[in-house]
Amino acid sequence: GAGVSQSPSNKVTEKGKDVELRCDPISGHTALYWYRQSLGQGLEFLIYFQGNSAPDKSGLPSDRFSAERTGGSVSTLTIQRTQQEDSAVYLCASSVDRGKNTEAFFGQGTRLTVV
Amino acid sequence: QQQVKQSPQSLIVQKGGISIINCAYENTAFDYFPWYQQFPGKGPALLIAIRPDVSEKKEGRFTISFNKSAKQFSLHIMDSQPGDSATYFCAASYSSASKIIFGSGTRLSIRP
């Protein structure tokens, strides 16, 4: 009965290192989203997974960013060769299959700081 | 065309007053307009949502007004309380697309 779970909650990394952010969606939710929220800014769409369909990667800002979703459940967002401008809160959300109910449930986010 | 424009960026309202946040969109394919509320250190949470076949939806002190011809919608918070202090995001999506497009957010402060 838990909500969307993200780990780690905070991550400090050195510029140039790779990082992996994890998202455990709500059980039974087939849709999963990643968003990025820079300090005091809105939510920037990154990527969307829906069931077995090809993911919508149109929001990924560069080829340093990638994401996968294994078994239709857990998702990992990977940022390679991190840069200082990657510092932000990365939010994951999940929802039931699209249709009448399109409410997205968000996790608490991973705060990434690149030093 | 995918943007949702939100204003104001920040808003200060006295306790008991009415808070009004406005949003505008361009893509007429949008068919779902939610508002999310976010407290510091937390992820956004759905507050209230509307579909374009109605002009108003009310849930407690929160009301969405929707103007389809003007492609605008707004959130009204009646009898605003200090506990309403948060960042509010309007958003839009449509059934055949994948992403939810969010506005830039409004930081609301309710003064006691």
Side-chain angles (χ1 to χ4, degrees):
Chain A
V4 177
S5 178
Q6 292 189 244
S7 61
S9 55
N10 283 283
K11 176 72 176 179
V12 180
T13 189
E14 292 181 350
K15 178 181 174 181
K17 299 284 189 182
D18 298 352
V19 295
E20 287 189 351
L21 312 180
R22 177 186 170 103
C23 174
D24 283 270
I26 294 173
S27 178
H29 282 192
T30 59
L32 187 147
Y33 313 77
W34 283 97
Y35 286 84
R36 177 168 70 175
Q37 185 173 29
S38 301
L39 185 63
Q41 301 298 310
L43 285 78
E44 176 189 6
F45 169 78
L46 297 177
I47 189 169
Y48 166 85
F49 296 90
Q50 171 60 56
N52 296 320
S53 301
D56 177 352
K57 303 179 181 180
S58 61
L60 294 178
S62 76
D63 59 6
R64 296 186 296 106
F65 288 72
S66 63
E68 63 177 21
R69 188 178 185 191
T70 54
S73 181
V74 172
S75 178
T76 302
L77 177 69
T78 301
I79 308 173
Q80 296 178 310
R81 305 181 301 282
T82 52
Q83 303 295 312
Q84 288 186 329
E85 60 263 28
D86 299 334
S87 296
V89 175
Y90 289 82
L91 290 160
C92 175
S94 70
S95 67
V96 296
D97 196 6
R98 295 196 66 79
K100 292 296 184 183
N101 180 0
T102 55
E103 177 180 359
F105 294 83
F106 282 84
Q108 294 199 7
T110 293
R111 181 176 298 278
L112 175 66
T113 303
V114 182
V115 297
Chain B
Q1 255 213 338
Q2 288 290 324
Q3 283 188 327
V4 177
K5 296 182 180 180
Q6 183 172 348
S7 64
Q9 188 174 15
S10 62
L11 180 63
I12 300 173
V13 175
Q14 289 295 123
K15 179 182 175 182
I18 302 174
S19 304
I20 301 174
I21 304 170
N22 301 298
C23 285
Y25 64 97
E26 288 295 325
N27 190 340
T28 56
F30 288 140
D31 60 6
Y32 180 68
F33 301 89
W35 285 88
Y36 281 79
Q37 179 188 55
Q38 184 180 32
F39 293 104
K42 304 291 186 181
L46 181 67
L47 185 64
I48 186 172
I50 197 168
R51 297 188 185 276
D53 52 346
V54 297
S55 60
E56 184 175 283
K57 182 174 182 180
K58 184 176 181 179
E59 291 184 1
R61 296 185 294 108
F62 300 91
T63 300
I64 300 178
S65 296
F66 187 84
N67 186 330
K68 188 173 182 179
S69 61
K71 293 185 283 187
Q72 296 175 346
F73 58 111
S74 60
L75 175 69
H76 295 236
I77 306 174
M78 311 300 288
D79 186 27
S80 300
Q81 299 296 312
D84 297 331
S85 297
T87 300
Y88 292 80
F89 294 95
C90 62
S93 66
Y94 53 102
S95 302
S96 60
S98 55
K99 66 192 77 169
I100 304 172
I101 308 298
F102 286 87
S104 54
T106 296
R107 182 170 293 183
L108 174 65
S109 296
I110 307 300
R111 294 289 169 80

